[in-house]
Amino acid sequence: MSATQVQETEKPQFYLTEEHHPENSTMLGFWIYLMSDCLIFAVLFATHGVLGRSYAAGPSPADLFDLGLVAFNTAMLLLSSITYGFAMLQMERGAKMETLVWLAVTGLFGATFLGVELYEFHHLILEGAGPTRSAFLSSFFTLVGTHGLHVTFGTIWLITLMMQVGKHGLTPENRRRLMCLSMFWHFLDVIWIGVFSFVYLLGVLG
């Protein structure tokens, strides 16, 4: 064997020629992300717990919040979680169009939730109860606004996945992405139940 042939056989490989993606690594990574999001919301809930009674001679939750409107908004988000569950059931059946229909219904519920939340924020600011009015309102706008941003990003993600499923179908990659979004969407529901109970109900009735 010549020296040239020896060098060719001993060439180092700088990349793998075969697939080396650990099974379920995406789901594990997404669970880790959700846990980090839990820490963010835990800090925001704790901050509101400390500042929630600091009204600075301004309006209190009982003066500001319309529990009927908030209950309606809560129903919109909970219904969106149910319809997303229907979408996942259709995905398991391999029914592409039915999956897209339920995803669209979920997106409509999510958009309604965001619309009502923006209306509430606009109404509060017009009444002079903006985030700079008191420590209570600063913590309220930060907590509820952060959750609203998550729902906004989730809705954008939902629309993006609908386009991918519509174009490529229910491929294994799209199924995995839909599962990740399902975890994210249900996580936001759980967080909102905490917001509704801790911020709105305890604020008005407590």
Side-chain angles (χ1 to χ4, degrees), residues 30-100:
F30 200 76
W31 271 112
I32 293 173
Y33 159 71
L34 287 181
M35 294 304 101
S36 68
D37 239 10
C38 277
L39 293 177
I40 293 174
F41 279 106
V43 170
L44 294 177
F45 274 112
T47 302
H48 186 77
V50 173
L51 303 177
R53 301 290 181 180
S54 301
Y55 306 135
S60 68
D63 302 320
L64 296 174
F65 298 151
D66 180 356
L67 287 184
L69 181 65
V70 179
F72 170 79
N73 218 21
T74 301
M76 292 298 98
L77 198 59
L78 293 179
L79 285 172
S80 75
S81 187
I82 294 172
T83 56
Y84 199 104
F86 289 152
M88 296 301 292
L89 291 174
Q90 296 301 323
M91 183 195 76
E92 292 297 326
R93 292 179 56 243
K96 172 183 169 181
M97 290 307 301
E98 288 82 354
T99 301
L100 288 173

